[in-house]
Amino acid sequence: MMRTDAGLGVVFAPMVWSDVDDVIDEYDAMWGMHSSDPHVAEVSRLLSAYCVYHYIALSTGAEVARMNGRFLGVLMTRLPGRFPLFGEIGRCLEKTGAELDAGELGRKMLALVRERFDEELELENRSKVRDATQAEVELFIVSDVARGRGVGRGLWSRTMSYLRDADVKCFYLHTDSQCDVSFYDAHGMDCVVSHHSDARPSEKDEESATTGFSGPMGDEMFIYVGDPRRIRRTTKGRHHKESVQALRGEER
């Protein structure tokens, strides 16, 4: 259901297929390889598309924000047992992976991204975070031009309402040191996993240093958990506290 924030002129609505290219463009603008070399720029766009398709393939719901038709942000979520967001995304992911594999730079950068995704899965398995939660935030992007307009807060609020309606008592998300983790701290979430990653281009590697694809490649990886029913409060819910204690190995 579409909703407009009368004070800001921002329109929030469920994500549709025609939004996908805008999400890829914003992902690339935020974390892509910023190069004047046309080949590097092409590889960057493909790599950003691969990452976005990866997150969409895992998602069962998403909200986008626009103002006067301009894309401002997106938040994707996964609820186990729900239908995928777009059934055709698997073919897009496979095709884009093949295009990247066809060239040396694309193949090298794709291997790094896949290594990071595998590392995230390993952290989930080791921490057993999926056993203690009922949902995951897959991707959260707010355009630089939207900062200070309440776009991130609006997307977050709508998503928390969606999770509450789905009777989710605890959810989790991955983030890293390239992102503003203070947003999650301020919204009452808890960091339950902190991990240093080596799955990123070495700064001693001249080619990697000049291409500089950064997402999702922060040195420090984190998993945060939260209770959508009490996410706006500093006092957290009992189920959430128990989940955090279990993930940290603490006594209840």
Side-chain angles (χ1 to χ4, degrees):
M1 182 177 179
M2 188 179 300
R3 181 178 72 83
T4 302
D5 189 309
L8 300 171
V10 178
V11 176
F12 298 97
M15 183 176 173
V16 295
W17 182 254
S18 59
D19 293 318
V20 173
D21 280 344
D22 285 336
V23 177
I24 294 170
D25 288 342
E26 191 59 45
Y27 192 100
D28 196 46
M30 192 168 293
W31 292 306
M33 307 179 204
H34 302 139
S35 171
S36 58
D37 185 324
H39 173 62
V40 173
E42 180 184 9
V43 171
S44 178
R45 180 61 162 64
L46 283 171
L47 203 56
S48 293
Y50 184 88
C51 290
V52 170
Y53 293 153
H54 167 84
Y55 294 122
I56 291 175
L58 296 171
S59 298
T60 58
E63 290 280 331
V64 298
R66 291 183 179 274
M67 180 187 290
N68 297 324
R70 181 173 185 174
F71 177 83
L72 298 180
V74 64
L75 201 159
M76 301 181 191
T77 53
R78 177 181 62 84
L79 270 71
R82 300 286 180 97
F83 287 110
L85 191 58
F86 302 119
E88 63 269 43
I89 206 69
R91 292 191 296 273
C92 296
L93 190 62
E94 183 178 355
K95 179 176 180 292
T96 305
E99 290 181 52
L100 285 163
D101 266 331
E104 183 179 355
L105 177 60
R107 184 165 54 250
K108 178 179 181 178
M109 298 307 292
L110 178 60
L112 285 167
V113 167
R114 283 172 169 167
E115 184 180 348
R116 170 54 68 95
F117 290 150
D118 288 344
E119 200 168 7
E120 288 183 348
L121 186 59
E122 175 61 24
L123 289 178
E124 290 182 13
N125 290 336
R126 275 198 323 223
S127 67
K128 296 182 170 31
V129 68
R130 280 174 292 174
D131 295 338
T133 58
Q134 301 87 43
E136 179 182 4
V137 168
E138 294 290 347
L139 182 64
F140 187 17
I141 297 177
V142 177
S143 171
D144 284 342
V145 302
R147 301 296 165 89
R149 297 178 180 270
V151 172
R153 186 169 62 251
L155 286 168
W156 189 257
S157 175
R158 286 174 64 84
T159 300
M160 293 304 103
S161 178
Y162 168 68
L163 294 179
R164 287 193 297 270
D165 289 346
D167 199 30
V168 170
K169 297 176 177 62
C170 194
F171 71 99
Y172 74 100
L173 59 84
H174 288 272
T175 187
D176 62 38
S177 50
Q178 294 184 131
C179 300
D180 181 13
V181 298
S182 65
F183 179 91
Y184 305 120
D185 294 325
H187 283 77
M189 298 189 72
D190 283 288
C191 180
V192 296
V193 174
S194 179
H195 170 76
H196 182 80
S197 173
D198 295 320
R200 62 172 290 111
S202 168
E203 292 188 6
K204 295 179 181 178
D205 184 327
E206 183 178 350
E207 181 182 43
S208 295
T210 55
T211 54
F213 185 80
S214 60
M217 306 295 285
D219 289 323
E220 299 296 326
M221 301 170 66
F222 310 107
I223 297 179
Y224 274 76
V225 299
D227 182 342
R229 301 166 302 171
R230 295 173 172 82
I231 203 70
R232 298 174 188 169
R233 305 177 188 174
T234 55
T235 303
K236 293 153 190 170
R238 179 173 177 271
H239 187 281
H240 169 71
K241 286 183 178 179
E242 291 176 351
S243 297
V244 171
Q245 289 168 344
L247 289 165
R248 290 177 173 168
E250 300 173 358
E251 291 296 327
R252 295 182 184 177

XYZ file of all heavy atoms in Angstrom, residues 58-129:
562
model
N 16.953 -13.507 -1.852
C 16.720 -13.939 -0.474
C 15.485 -13.292 0.147
O 14.997 -13.751 1.179
C 17.943 -13.593 0.388
C 19.251 -14.299 0.031
C 20.409 -13.700 0.823
C 19.149 -15.796 0.288
N 14.993 -12.219 -0.470
C 13.955 -11.395 0.149
C 12.544 -11.870 -0.177
O 12.283 -12.414 -1.247
C 14.103 -9.939 -0.297
O 15.348 -9.413 0.116
N 11.645 -11.607 0.762
C 10.226 -11.895 0.549
C 9.385 -10.617 0.561
O 8.193 -10.661 0.267
C 9.704 -12.851 1.638
O 9.912 -12.257 2.931
C 10.432 -14.191 1.584
N 9.990 -9.492 0.902
C 9.280 -8.219 0.914
C 10.261 -7.072 0.828
O 11.436 -7.219 1.172
N 9.790 -5.908 0.351
C 10.659 -4.733 0.252
C 9.812 -3.476 0.118
O 8.720 -3.501 -0.459
C 11.602 -4.854 -0.944
N 10.333 -2.381 0.657
C 9.712 -1.065 0.547
C 10.691 -0.122 -0.119
O 11.895 -0.162 0.148
C 9.365 -0.513 1.937
C 8.241 -1.235 2.638
C 6.860 -0.801 2.158
O 6.729 0.364 1.725
O 5.936 -1.610 2.236
N 10.187 0.744 -1.000
C 11.021 1.763 -1.616
C 10.485 3.143 -1.257
O 9.307 3.304 -0.907
C 11.083 1.623 -3.152
C 11.709 0.301 -3.551
C 9.701 1.764 -3.771
N 11.352 4.130 -1.348
C 10.977 5.518 -1.103
C 11.332 6.346 -2.327
O 12.410 6.187 -2.902
C 11.710 6.061 0.125
N 10.424 7.231 -2.721
C 10.648 8.128 -3.850
C 10.119 9.516 -3.517
O 9.206 9.661 -2.705
C 9.951 7.616 -5.118
C 10.542 6.347 -5.705
C 9.851 5.928 -6.995
N 10.440 4.731 -7.559
C 11.494 4.717 -8.370
N 12.052 5.873 -8.736
N 11.989 3.588 -8.836
N 10.689 10.521 -4.192
C 10.169 11.880 -4.109
C 10.153 12.445 -5.522
O 11.185 12.482 -6.193
C 11.034 12.767 -3.199
C 10.513 14.205 -3.083
S 11.629 15.283 -2.170
C 11.421 14.608 -0.531
N 8.972 12.839 -5.975
C 8.806 13.334 -7.350
C 9.356 12.332 -8.365
O 9.955 12.710 -9.372
C 9.503 14.688 -7.528
C 8.907 15.760 -6.643
O 7.697 15.783 -6.412
N 9.753 16.643 -6.129
N 9.164 11.055 -8.073
C 9.606 9.996 -8.973
C 11.046 9.570 -8.800
O 11.467 8.555 -9.351
N 11.823 10.326 -8.044
C 13.247 10.006 -7.871
C 13.425 8.981 -6.776
O 12.902 9.128 -5.674
C 14.034 11.264 -7.528
C 15.531 11.010 -7.363
C 16.298 12.297 -7.198
N 17.729 12.036 -7.151
C 18.655 12.971 -7.131
N 18.308 14.256 -7.162
N 19.932 12.655 -7.078
N 14.212 7.943 -7.064
C 14.479 6.885 -6.096
C 15.331 7.412 -4.952
O 16.370 8.053 -5.172
C 15.201 5.725 -6.785
C 15.591 4.608 -5.855
C 14.673 3.630 -5.513
C 16.872 4.549 -5.319
C 15.037 2.602 -4.648
C 17.229 3.533 -4.456
C 16.314 2.551 -4.125
N 14.900 7.130 -3.707
C 15.615 7.619 -2.529
C 16.112 6.520 -1.603
O 17.020 6.761 -0.811
C 14.721 8.572 -1.729
C 14.271 9.853 -2.418
C 13.396 10.666 -1.488
C 15.471 10.675 -2.895
N 15.515 5.333 -1.680
C 15.969 4.277 -0.782
C 15.130 3.022 -0.878
O 14.046 3.016 -1.473
N 15.644 1.955 -0.258
C 14.952 0.671 -0.253
C 15.327 -0.086 1.007
O 16.430 0.077 1.544
C 15.323 -0.169 -1.501
C 16.799 -0.543 -1.494
C 14.456 -1.412 -1.620
N 14.399 -0.915 1.498
C 14.673 -1.817 2.607
C 14.028 -3.158 2.280
O 12.822 -3.232 2.072
C 14.132 -1.257 3.931
C 14.767 -1.834 5.207
C 14.552 -0.891 6.389
C 14.241 -3.217 5.542
N 14.853 -4.204 2.201
C 14.385 -5.551 1.861
C 14.429 -6.462 3.076
O 15.360 -6.379 3.884
C 15.271 -6.166 0.766
C 15.329 -5.381 -0.513
S 16.375 -6.216 -1.744
C 16.514 -4.912 -2.971
N 13.436 -7.340 3.199
C 13.354 -8.252 4.325
C 13.073 -9.682 3.867
O 12.551 -9.903 2.768
C 12.241 -7.847 5.302
O 11.012 -7.697 4.565
C 12.570 -6.544 6.004
N 13.420 -10.628 4.728
C 13.132 -12.056 4.467
C 12.403 -12.644 5.651
O 12.882 -12.568 6.787
C 14.429 -12.828 4.225
C 14.224 -14.333 4.026
C 15.538 -15.058 3.823
N 16.411 -14.928 4.976
C 16.352 -15.700 6.051
N 15.433 -16.684 6.116
N 17.187 -15.532 7.055
N 11.235 -13.220 5.378
C 10.498 -13.998 6.368
C 10.433 -15.436 5.863
O 9.829 -15.694 4.815
C 9.083 -13.456 6.568
C 8.896 -12.375 7.643
C 9.527 -11.071 7.177
C 7.431 -12.175 7.958
N 11.081 -16.377 6.563
C 11.061 -17.777 6.128
C 9.636 -18.284 5.930
O 8.737 -17.964 6.705
C 11.749 -18.514 7.285
C 12.622 -17.475 7.907
C 11.867 -16.190 7.797
N 9.449 -19.031 4.843
C 8.132 -19.595 4.552
C 7.283 -18.730 3.643
O 6.254 -19.194 3.141
N 7.696 -17.477 3.417
C 6.958 -16.596 2.513
C 7.461 -16.777 1.080
O 8.581 -17.220 0.842
C 7.127 -15.127 2.926
C 6.639 -14.805 4.334
C 5.133 -14.783 4.418
N 4.661 -14.468 5.760
C 4.296 -13.250 6.156
N 4.363 -12.228 5.313
N 3.864 -13.048 7.389
N 6.629 -16.367 0.122
C 7.025 -16.446 -1.281
C 8.129 -15.432 -1.570
O 8.155 -14.338 -0.985
C 5.837 -16.170 -2.194
C 4.836 -17.289 -2.253
C 3.582 -17.146 -1.669
C 5.156 -18.485 -2.873
C 2.659 -18.169 -1.712
C 4.224 -19.528 -2.925
C 2.976 -19.366 -2.344
N 9.069 -15.765 -2.480
C 10.142 -14.818 -2.815
C 9.583 -13.552 -3.462
O 8.493 -13.562 -4.040
C 11.029 -15.599 -3.786
C 10.149 -16.691 -4.326
C 9.187 -17.021 -3.234
N 10.343 -12.497 -3.371
C 9.923 -11.197 -3.876
C 9.664 -11.238 -5.381
O 8.614 -10.814 -5.861
C 11.000 -10.161 -3.543
C 10.668 -8.693 -3.756
C 9.438 -8.274 -2.958
C 11.874 -7.828 -3.360
N 10.632 -11.762 -6.144
C 10.502 -11.894 -7.600
C 11.029 -13.260 -8.011
O 12.228 -13.532 -7.877
C 11.293 -10.801 -8.338
C 10.896 -9.399 -7.967
C 11.807 -8.523 -7.405
C 9.595 -8.943 -8.184
C 11.454 -7.225 -7.066
C 9.227 -7.645 -7.844
C 10.159 -6.793 -7.284
N 10.150 -14.093 -8.534
C 10.529 -15.452 -8.892
C 11.569 -15.543 -9.988
O 12.355 -16.494 -10.043
N 11.619 -14.539 -10.873
C 12.513 -14.606 -12.027
C 13.934 -14.153 -11.714
O 14.808 -14.181 -12.583
C 11.960 -13.743 -13.173
C 11.851 -12.253 -12.869
C 10.509 -11.845 -12.302
O 9.980 -12.560 -11.432
O 9.995 -10.799 -12.711
N 14.211 -13.768 -10.472
C 15.509 -13.170 -10.160
C 16.654 -14.164 -10.258
O 17.801 -13.787 -10.523
C 15.467 -12.527 -8.750
C 16.491 -11.387 -8.655
C 15.699 -13.564 -7.660
C 16.138 -10.190 -9.490
N 16.374 -15.446 -10.085
C 17.427 -16.459 -10.178
C 18.110 -16.454 -11.531
O 19.334 -16.596 -11.626
N 17.331 -16.287 -12.603
C 17.916 -16.245 -13.947
C 18.799 -15.018 -14.119
O 19.847 -15.078 -14.768
C 16.801 -16.269 -15.002
C 16.037 -17.579 -15.062
C 15.130 -17.639 -16.280
N 14.091 -16.625 -16.227
C 12.911 -16.801 -15.626
N 12.657 -17.954 -15.007
N 11.992 -15.853 -15.639
N 18.374 -13.891 -13.559
C 19.171 -12.664 -13.640
C 20.493 -12.838 -12.910
O 21.550 -12.398 -13.389
C 18.404 -11.491 -13.027
S 16.883 -11.063 -13.885
N 20.452 -13.482 -11.748
C 21.655 -13.707 -10.957
C 22.629 -14.610 -11.716
O 23.843 -14.327 -11.778
C 21.261 -14.341 -9.623
C 22.328 -14.457 -8.537
C 22.840 -13.094 -8.113
C 21.769 -15.190 -7.324
N 22.106 -15.666 -12.303
C 22.946 -16.606 -13.057
C 23.571 -15.928 -14.281
O 24.772 -16.081 -14.550
C 22.110 -17.809 -13.488
C 22.896 -18.877 -14.219
C 22.049 -20.079 -14.592
O 20.858 -20.120 -14.189
O 22.559 -20.971 -15.284
N 22.779 -15.163 -15.018
C 23.263 -14.486 -16.231
C 24.340 -13.456 -15.886
O 25.375 -13.359 -16.566
C 22.094 -13.809 -16.947
C 22.463 -13.044 -18.215
C 21.211 -12.506 -18.884
C 21.543 -11.733 -20.157
N 22.268 -10.469 -19.865
N 24.123 -12.683 -14.832
C 25.083 -11.654 -14.452
C 26.383 -12.283 -13.958
O 27.483 -11.788 -14.263
C 24.490 -10.745 -13.362
O 23.252 -10.215 -13.833
C 25.425 -9.598 -13.030
N 26.282 -13.376 -13.214
C 27.471 -14.091 -12.771
C 28.292 -14.593 -13.944
O 29.527 -14.502 -13.940
N 27.619 -15.106 -14.969
C 28.311 -15.600 -16.161
C 29.013 -14.458 -16.900
O 30.138 -14.622 -17.398
C 27.319 -16.303 -17.083
N 28.370 -13.292 -16.982
C 28.985 -12.135 -17.643
C 30.234 -11.682 -16.889
O 31.241 -11.318 -17.504
C 27.978 -10.992 -17.737
C 26.845 -11.245 -18.720
C 25.882 -10.069 -18.797
O 26.347 -8.941 -19.005
O 24.668 -10.294 -18.619
N 30.174 -11.689 -15.587
C 31.348 -11.307 -14.795
C 32.466 -12.329 -14.932
O 33.653 -11.971 -15.024
C 30.953 -11.150 -13.324
C 30.162 -9.890 -12.985
C 29.474 -10.033 -11.633
C 31.062 -8.652 -12.988
N 32.108 -13.592 -14.964
C 33.102 -14.669 -15.083
C 33.829 -14.639 -16.421
O 34.908 -15.225 -16.560
C 32.420 -16.038 -14.925
C 32.481 -16.540 -13.486
O 33.451 -16.186 -12.782
O 31.561 -17.260 -13.073
N 33.266 -13.958 -17.409
C 33.847 -13.941 -18.755
C 35.089 -13.065 -18.863
O 35.835 -13.166 -19.838
C 32.800 -13.474 -19.770
N 35.326 -12.195 -17.887
C 36.483 -11.307 -17.939
C 37.343 -11.435 -16.693
O 36.867 -11.831 -15.624
N 38.623 -11.069 -16.809
C 39.553 -11.255 -15.693
C 39.181 -10.422 -14.473
O 39.139 -10.928 -13.349
C 40.973 -10.906 -16.142
C 42.022 -11.142 -15.073
C 43.426 -10.824 -15.552
O 43.599 -10.509 -16.752
O 44.357 -10.872 -14.714
N 38.908 -9.128 -14.685
C 38.561 -8.270 -13.557
C 37.235 -8.686 -12.927
O 37.121 -8.776 -11.699
C 38.483 -6.813 -14.014
C 38.053 -5.801 -12.951
C 39.023 -5.802 -11.773
C 37.944 -4.405 -13.561
N 36.242 -8.952 -13.768
C 34.940 -9.369 -13.259
C 35.027 -10.661 -12.479
O 34.419 -10.805 -11.405
N 35.799 -11.615 -12.990
C 35.953 -12.914 -12.328
C 36.615 -12.747 -10.961
O 36.200 -13.355 -9.974
C 36.773 -13.842 -13.218
C 36.939 -15.254 -12.688
C 37.433 -16.196 -13.776
N 38.641 -15.715 -14.426
C 38.702 -15.265 -15.672
N 37.612 -15.218 -16.426
N 39.844 -14.862 -16.188
N 37.635 -11.892 -10.905
C 38.363 -11.676 -9.659
C 37.468 -11.013 -8.607
O 37.426 -11.439 -7.446
C 39.580 -10.797 -9.934
C 40.402 -10.466 -8.710
C 41.600 -9.620 -9.111
C 42.467 -9.299 -7.911
N 43.665 -8.512 -8.287
N 36.742 -9.962 -9.012
C 35.904 -9.241 -8.054
C 34.700 -10.084 -7.626
O 34.272 -10.031 -6.475
C 35.453 -7.911 -8.660
C 36.603 -6.956 -9.008
S 37.730 -6.642 -7.626
C 36.666 -5.730 -6.532
N 34.143 -10.865 -8.553
C 33.017 -11.735 -8.219
C 33.430 -12.778 -7.187
O 32.669 -13.090 -6.260
C 32.485 -12.412 -9.479
C 31.324 -13.385 -9.287
C 30.113 -12.680 -8.675
C 30.942 -14.031 -10.617
N 34.649 -13.308 -7.329
C 35.133 -14.294 -6.364
C 35.220 -13.682 -4.965
O 34.884 -14.328 -3.966
C 36.503 -14.815 -6.802
N 35.639 -12.420 -4.872
C 35.719 -11.746 -3.579
C 34.336 -11.541 -2.958
O 34.139 -11.738 -1.754
C 36.421 -10.397 -3.732
C 37.942 -10.445 -3.928
C 38.459 -9.091 -4.387
C 38.630 -10.869 -2.647
N 33.378 -11.137 -3.789
C 32.017 -10.925 -3.293
C 31.407 -12.244 -2.830
O 30.770 -12.307 -1.766
C 31.150 -10.262 -4.381
C 29.671 -10.313 -4.010
C 31.579 -8.810 -4.590
N 31.597 -13.293 -3.611
C 31.059 -14.597 -3.213
C 31.711 -15.094 -1.927
O 31.050 -15.715 -1.075
C 31.276 -15.610 -4.349
C 30.300 -15.441 -5.502
C 30.668 -16.328 -6.662
N 29.601 -16.372 -7.658
C 29.752 -16.868 -8.890
N 30.937 -17.356 -9.264
N 28.743 -16.871 -9.726
N 33.006 -14.808 -1.774
C 33.687 -15.190 -0.541
C 33.066 -14.470 0.653
O 32.893 -15.057 1.723
C 35.178 -14.857 -0.653
C 35.995 -15.295 0.550
C 37.462 -14.953 0.406
O 37.900 -14.589 -0.706
O 38.183 -15.029 1.428
N 32.728 -13.184 0.457
C 32.106 -12.435 1.554
C 30.735 -13.004 1.889
O 30.386 -13.154 3.067
C 32.003 -10.965 1.185
C 31.150 -10.116 2.150
C 31.608 -10.238 3.603
N 32.884 -9.657 3.832
C 33.088 -8.425 4.280
N 32.058 -7.640 4.547
N 34.302 -7.990 4.484
N 29.938 -13.333 0.884
C 28.619 -13.915 1.149
C 28.751 -15.249 1.898
O 27.964 -15.544 2.808
C 27.841 -14.103 -0.148
C 27.386 -12.827 -0.796
C 27.238 -12.735 -2.176
C 27.094 -11.709 -0.028
C 26.802 -11.558 -2.770
C 26.662 -10.520 -0.610
C 26.521 -10.448 -1.987
N 29.746 -16.048 1.515
C 29.985 -17.313 2.212
C 30.402 -17.059 3.665
O 30.029 -17.804 4.575
C 31.074 -18.121 1.505
C 30.612 -18.720 0.188
O 29.385 -18.771 -0.042
O 31.470 -19.105 -0.619
N 31.187 -15.992 3.863
C 31.636 -15.645 5.208
C 30.450 -15.232 6.089
O 30.383 -15.583 7.270
C 32.650 -14.513 5.119
C 33.535 -14.362 6.324
C 34.698 -13.419 6.070
O 34.756 -12.782 4.997
O 35.538 -13.304 6.977
N 29.513 -14.481 5.505
C 28.306 -14.107 6.250
C 27.516 -15.342 6.670
O 27.031 -15.423 7.808
C 27.432 -13.185 5.393
C 27.985 -11.791 5.204
C 27.048 -10.898 4.420
O 26.073 -11.434 3.824
O 27.281 -9.684 4.393
N 27.382 -16.291 5.753
C 26.651 -17.519 6.066
C 27.347 -18.305 7.165
O 26.699 -18.863 8.062
C 26.506 -18.369 4.801
C 25.642 -19.626 4.913
C 24.220 -19.273 5.346
C 25.624 -20.374 3.581
N 28.679 -18.345 7.122
C 29.432 -19.048 8.157
C 29.235 -18.391 9.524
O 29.097 -19.085 10.544
C 30.922 -19.063 7.786
C 31.831 -19.676 8.844
C 31.515 -21.132 9.143
O 30.931 -21.826 8.281
O 31.855 -21.586 10.268
N 29.183 -17.059 9.559
C 28.930 -16.355 10.826
C 27.537 -16.673 11.356
O 27.343 -16.827 12.567
C 29.085 -14.846 10.626
C 30.507 -14.319 10.407
C 30.474 -12.811 10.188
C 31.417 -14.673 11.573
N 26.561 -16.761 10.464
C 25.209 -17.137 10.877
C 25.205 -18.544 11.479
O 24.572 -18.789 12.523
C 24.258 -17.084 9.685
C 23.951 -15.689 9.187
C 22.953 -15.712 8.036
O 22.340 -16.772 7.801
O 22.788 -14.672 7.382
N 25.894 -19.457 10.817
C 25.910 -20.841 11.293
C 26.609 -20.957 12.638
O 26.136 -21.676 13.540
C 26.603 -21.737 10.264
C 25.790 -21.908 8.996
O 24.567 -21.752 9.015
N 26.454 -22.212 7.895
N 27.718 -20.248 12.793
C 28.480 -20.333 14.039
C 27.732 -19.695 15.204
O 27.767 -20.199 16.323
C 29.841 -19.647 13.865
C 30.892 -20.550 13.271
C 32.291 -20.043 13.494
N 32.428 -18.610 13.412
C 33.427 -17.995 12.786
N 34.357 -18.695 12.165
N 33.510 -16.697 12.767
N 27.066 -18.575 14.933
C 26.360 -17.858 15.999
C 24.970 -18.423 16.277
O 24.360 -18.090 17.293
C 26.224 -16.377 15.636
O 25.355 -16.209 14.520
N 24.451 -19.231 15.319
C 23.096 -19.779 15.414
C 22.041 -18.669 15.495
O 20.987 -18.832 16.117
C 22.963 -20.718 16.617
C 23.829 -21.973 16.522
C 23.618 -22.891 17.701
C 24.262 -24.250 17.553
N 25.468 -24.336 16.773
N 22.331 -17.547 14.836
C 21.412 -16.411 14.902
C 20.066 -16.730 14.268
O 19.024 -16.230 14.702
C 22.051 -15.158 14.253
C 22.210 -15.325 12.737
C 21.259 -13.906 14.577
